[in-house]
């Protein structure tokens, strides 16, 4: 009895997330890719390989940093992030939309909802251990290959 109401609540949350998506949120990650992407963001945040927010992401892209751009799909007003995909395409940086800015913020180890993050392959300061570097690089390569596959199937 209790589990039925929980499943109804979770399905209502999913419908609400999908209904509040911006019309430009393409390519949108599916459930599996979204989970894998947020896991990558969480791991990158632990190792200080993450740029949070539109201002930091744009600055990093313009400076020539490479990585994976993860953009929240439920941003309002949409004008805040409309220029980010264009910058990513010009710099040949893969980007993907995830349904929720709150989930993106939780994965990025911050309480404030985040519009977008840039996952870097190496930290801005210092060095990572060999094991950590290999794990991060493996997750990064897997997610970027899935993003390229999704983007190529769209166009």
């Amino acid at each position: 009895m209790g589990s039925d109401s929980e499943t109804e609540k979770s399905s209502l949350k999913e419908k609400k997330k999908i209904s509040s998506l911006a019309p430009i949120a393409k390519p949108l990650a599916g459930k599996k890719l979204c989970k894998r992407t947020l896991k990558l963001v969480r791991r990158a945040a632990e190792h200080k390989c993450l740029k949070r927010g539109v201002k930091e992401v744009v600055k990093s892209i313009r400076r020539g940093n490479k990585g994976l751009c993860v953009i929240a799909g439920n941003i309002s007003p949409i004008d805040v992030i409309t220029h980010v995909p264009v910058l990513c395409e010009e710099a040949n940086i893969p980007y993907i939309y995830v349904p929720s800015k709150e989930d993106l913020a939780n994965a990025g180890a911050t309480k404030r909802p985040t519009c977008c993050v840039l996952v870097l392959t190496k930290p801005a300061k210092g060095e990572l251990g060999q094991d950590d570097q290999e794990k991060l690089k493996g997750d990064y390569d897997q997610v970027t290959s899935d993003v390229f596959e999704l983007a190529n199937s769209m166009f």
Side-chain angles (χ1 to χ4, degrees):
M1 188 159 148
S3 62
D4 291 338
S5 62
E6 287 176 15
T7 55
E8 288 175 13
K9 286 179 183 178
S10 65
S11 67
L12 285 175
K13 278 186 178 181
E14 288 296 321
K15 286 179 183 177
K16 190 174 181 181
K17 282 182 186 178
I18 291 172
S19 67
S20 65
L21 284 177
I24 65 162
K26 291 175 180 62
L28 182 66
K31 271 189 176 180
K32 193 173 182 180
L33 180 58
C34 182
K35 194 172 186 176
R36 204 175 303 145
T37 304
L38 293 176
K39 185 178 177 184
L40 171 68
V41 170
R42 189 173 295 112
R43 184 165 283 160
E46 288 171 4
H47 298 301
K48 308 270 190 275
C49 298
L50 195 68
K51 298 289 182 181
R52 296 175 188 90
V54 176
K55 194 173 179 181
E56 273 188 54
V57 168
V58 169
K59 195 186 316 180
S60 293
I61 292 172
R62 289 201 174 130
R63 286 184 178 161
N65 293 337
K66 295 290 182 185
L68 171 71
C69 188
V70 183
I71 308 168
N74 63 344
I75 300 300
S76 178
I78 196 172
D79 298 339
V80 173
I81 57 162
T82 51
H83 64 289
V84 175
V86 176
L87 285 173
C88 290
E89 286 177 4
E90 288 174 354
N92 291 326
I93 294 175
Y95 65 93
I96 188 84
Y97 285 89
V98 292
S100 171
K101 62 185 176 185
E102 290 82 12
D103 292 344
L104 187 60
N106 287 339
T110 180
K111 293 175 185 168
R112 188 103 175 109
T114 306
C115 291
C116 61
V117 297
L118 183 69
V119 179
L120 305 172
T121 53
K122 52 188 172 186
K125 297 178 183 174
E127 287 295 318
L128 284 177
Q130 189 68 25
D131 293 340
D132 293 336
Q133 181 73 29
E134 287 176 10
K135 282 182 182 178
L136 186 64
K137 186 70 175 159
D139 287 350
Y140 175 83
D141 290 339
Q142 186 179 22
V143 171
T144 51
S145 67
D146 289 348
V147 168
F148 277 125
E149 203 174 287
L150 183 63
N152 289 339
S153 70
M154 271 184 48
F155 300 113

